[in-house]
């Protein structure tokens, strides 16, 4: 897991020879509820990429990320409306 992604990191396909930017990280933090790092990114065809892995590049460092729906914790709002 590790620390949160760096804001501004470019997301590219997970294919080794692909370097075209699909988008970038707009915010990132540690989630105390999920006990892991989370991030939001603007991705080309983002909803169609749910479940895919992308690589995020920043200053020569490469990290992997899994594209998930925007709300991964309590998506139906049951905690909010308990």
């Amino acid at each position: 897991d590790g620390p949160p992604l760096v804001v501004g990191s470019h997301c590219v396909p997970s294919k080794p020879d692909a370097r075209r930017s699909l988008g970038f990280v707009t915010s990132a933090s540690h989630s105390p509820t999920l006990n892991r790092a989370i991030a939001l990114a603007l991705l080309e065809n983002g909803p169609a990429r749910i479940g895919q892995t992308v690589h995020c590049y920043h200053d020569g460092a490469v990290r992997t990320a899994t594209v998930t729906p925007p709300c991964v914790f309590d998506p139906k709002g049951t905690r909010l409306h308990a």
Side-chain angles (χ1 to χ4, degrees), residues 40-80:
L40 291 174
L42 289 173
L43 280 177
E44 177 183 297
N45 299 320
R49 296 185 185 282
I50 292 174
Q52 294 181 6
T53 299
V54 295
H55 288 147
C56 299
Y57 286 88
H58 181 75
D59 283 343
V62 182
R63 302 269 307 275
T64 58
T66 303
V67 180
T68 65
C71 184
V72 295
F73 181 76
D74 193 25
K76 294 181 181 176
T78 53
R79 264 188 75 160
L80 177 65

Side-chain angles (χ1 to χ4, degrees), residues 8-12 21-25 55-58:
S9 298
H10 279 269
C11 304
V12 299
S21 180
L22 300 172
F24 59 95
V25 177
H55 288 147
C56 299
Y57 286 88
H58 181 75

